[in-house]
Amino acid sequence: MDSQKSNPSTMGRDWQHLPPELLQVISKKVTSLAVYIRFRAVCRPWQSSCSLRPDHLPVQLPWLMLPYPSVGNNDSTRCFYDLATSKIHELELPETHGVSIRGSSHGWLVLQKCQVVSLFNPITRVTISLPPFSGRPTPLGIAPASLDGSDDENFFNNWEDDQYAINPTDNVMVRKAVLTSSPVLDPSCKVFVFTNSTWCLAFCKIGDKFWTVIEFEDDWGICDIMYSNDFLYAVDPLATVIMYNLNKPSRTLLDGEVGSINLFCFHRLVEGVSGEILLIDDRSIYVNEVFKEIEHKVYKLSNDGEPKWIEVIDGGQNVLFLSGNCNAFSLSRANLQLPEWGANCLCYDSVRTEQRNRQESCGSWYYTHNIKLARLDDGEVTDISTVDLGSFKVNERWQRSLWLTPSLL
């Protein structure tokens, strides 16, 4: 017995051959996704005893996916800042090489290369292909907003695929994409996009061969979209919201009073944890005509009588996360293991621009990132970054950061 205690290889074999039932019990006590992945990676028996897609893990605090490093980038390594551990995870993701990342939703990244769009889970490395934009579109049944209602029937009677076809050489850019659910858990998952093309709004189900077009023309200028309970919402620079009923199908104008909302700026729509429609309004703060900071205001669309936007001072159970590329969402703080700062706040990636090598003809511009926290009640802003997130050279390959809720599902 003494010899066994002094023999590391014997002890290693004992740990390696723990009963699978015991390993399963232990693994279900793990609540951190990063720790669970390391737990499965100890050895093959541990890996085979623990589910690849565990359903016991709670909703994770988001990771911030940073742009490519400015030095030594091999186009495969992506860095993620983990809010829960204040550490940066480096993942080898060759699938992201040479593609644009158009958003994240339900733990999945939306990738685009030319007219090919796909979903990619950076944790499980699973890829799901979506229909190419060069395929023929299918109309949902809502005529272009520019038409009079009496022309709707004629529009669909005279429908021609070629009229709104996207040529293979067209430069179609997805400006944002959202998923209704995890495509692994829900076979009926839908992917919504709004683009810079004649297909202003479109969606597809997993497995579809063609996109279904909701809105054909972007005459009013979409800032952001949001999905909730079979309704799609879109907002314009005037904070006007259009609600699309996907079952009917129809569009409804929710022309709420804008009050103190900053008009003609960028707005983001977010579904609150109780199903309410939230709007995040970005406004630039200048001191002596010099840019100082971006201030964020949060509003809720009230339907008591005439629709109107009401500023949110108490966020209730909502914890709001915001970064570039229209990336914004809310999580319930009741389901999160939040640090002390996690109450009634908006957590966002603050990006500052600085110029280096001024002696060069054009100089070099870099972005630096800091994670900040803005309280909704008094507007107090604090920096919660505990590690250096790095700086990133601005070039044609630079992409904005975005939040990702890591998931194995």
Side-chain angles (χ1 to χ4, degrees):
M1 182 175 293
D2 292 339
S3 62
Q4 287 184 346
K5 287 183 179 180
S6 62
N7 189 339
S9 62
T10 303
M11 294 184 64
R13 287 196 297 271
D14 289 341
W15 283 105
Q16 182 177 351
H17 292 95
L18 287 176
E21 310 85 55
L22 179 58
L23 288 171
Q24 292 171 11
V25 171
I26 297 173
S27 69
K28 290 183 179 180
K29 301 294 183 181
V30 178
T31 58
S32 165
L33 180 141
V35 174
Y36 185 87
I37 292 175
R38 289 195 292 269
F39 184 89
R40 290 187 75 251
V42 168
C43 58
R44 289 187 180 275
W46 287 34
Q47 186 178 61
S48 60
S49 299
C50 303
S51 173
L52 176 61
R53 296 193 175 113
D55 57 7
H56 75 279
L57 292 178
V59 177
Q60 303 290 299
L61 273 174
W63 294 0
L64 184 69
M65 187 179 72
L66 299 168
Y68 283 127
S70 55
V71 179
N73 172 38
N74 61 8
D75 282 354
S76 294
T77 302
R78 301 307 303 256
C79 295
F80 297 81
Y81 177 74
D82 185 348
L83 269 180
T85 62
S86 300
K87 296 180 179 179
I88 292 181
H89 303 298
E90 294 187 358
L91 303 183
E92 290 295 322
L93 302 175
E95 296 87 348
T96 63
H97 171 65
V99 303
S100 299
I101 299 176
R102 299 305 187 187
S104 73
S105 183
H106 292 274
W108 292 73
L109 297 176
V110 181
L111 310 182
Q112 180 180 8
K113 186 172 185 179
C114 300
Q115 294 196 23
V116 178
V117 184
S118 60
L119 306 179
F120 175 66
N121 187 320
I123 308 300
T124 63
R125 303 279 296 274
V126 173
T127 299
I128 298 177
S129 299
L130 300 179
F133 287 126
S134 55
R136 65 179 179 86
T138 301
L140 177 64
I142 303 177
S146 58
L147 294 181
D148 188 292
S150 59
D151 295 331
D152 290 2
E153 185 176 349
N154 291 331
F155 174 81
F156 292 108
N157 286 339
N158 298 324
W159 168 261
E160 296 180 1
D161 294 341
D162 293 341
Q163 181 180 3
Y164 289 96
I166 295 178
N167 297 320
T169 56
D170 290 348
N171 182 22
V172 180
M173 181 183 71
V174 174
R175 294 159 64 189
K176 183 175 181 177
V178 295
L179 280 66
T180 59
S181 56
S182 165
V184 171
L185 296 178
D186 182 10
S188 62
C189 167
K190 299 184 184 71
V191 182
F192 292 90
V193 299
F194 77 94
T195 75
N196 65 339
S197 73
T198 53
W199 301 3
C200 174
L201 280 173
F203 75 91
C204 70
K205 294 181 181 179
I206 302 300
D208 281 354
K209 295 183 178 180
F210 308 108
W211 288 91
T212 298
V213 183
I214 302 172
E215 196 73 81
F216 292 89
E217 299 173 4
D218 189 8
D219 292 334
W220 56 295
I222 294 178
C223 285
D224 197 12
I225 59 174
M226 180 196 88
Y227 173 84
S228 176
N229 296 323
D230 278 335
F231 289 92
L232 184 71
Y233 300 85
V235 65
D236 73 353
L238 293 174
T240 300
V241 175
I242 289 185
M243 179 179 69
Y244 296 90
N245 186 332
L246 304 179
N247 295 321
K248 200 172 180 178
S250 63
R251 71 166 72 84
T252 302
L253 179 66
L254 303 178
D255 193 7
E257 297 179 11
V258 295
S260 62
I261 291 180
N262 195 10
L263 301 182
F264 297 104
C265 71
F266 194 84
H267 308 298
R268 293 173 173 88
L269 286 178
V270 179
E271 180 185 10
V273 296
S274 300
E276 66 270 31
I277 300 175
L278 302 177
L279 181 139
I280 302 176
D281 172 32
D282 300 347
R283 60 187 70 189
S284 300
I285 304 299
Y286 290 87
V287 177
N288 297 327
E289 299 184 354
V290 177
F291 172 78
K292 181 181 178 182
E293 184 62 88
I294 295 290
E295 182 184 52
H296 307 288
K297 294 288 186 178
V298 181
Y299 300 86
K300 178 175 69 174
L301 185 64
S302 171
N303 287 318
D304 296 335
E306 293 295 325
K308 59 181 178 180
W309 291 106
I310 302 174
E311 185 173 354
V312 175
I313 303 300
D314 183 358
Q317 293 296 323
N318 291 293
V319 181
L320 301 173
F321 297 89
L322 173 67
S323 65
N325 288 347
C326 306
N327 181 223
F329 56 88
S330 69
L331 296 176
S332 172
R333 67 181 181 218
N335 299 328
L336 294 172
Q337 298 178 350
L338 288 173
E340 294 181 357
W341 51 257
N344 198 32
C345 63
L346 186 150
C347 184
Y348 65 98
D349 177 28
S350 176
V351 182
R352 301 301 297 268
T353 305
E354 62 181 34
Q355 188 179 23
R356 304 175 186 174
N357 302 326
R358 296 177 181 269
Q359 66 275 15
E360 297 180 4
S361 57
C362 298
S364 298
W365 290 91
Y366 286 79
Y367 286 115
T368 58
H369 294 252
N370 290 290
I371 299 178
K372 294 191 175 183
L373 200 73
R375 291 182 56 85
L376 298 183
D377 50 4
D378 57 14
E380 180 183 356
V381 177
T382 56
D383 191 338
I384 61 171
S385 302
T386 59
V387 298
D388 183 9
L389 301 184
S391 60
F392 307 90
K393 187 173 183 179
V394 181
N395 52 47
E396 68 278 1
R397 294 293 304 279
W398 183 84
Q399 296 181 0
R400 295 177 181 270
S401 62
L402 57 81
W403 290 108
L404 171 84
T405 50
S407 174
L408 291 168
L409 303 176

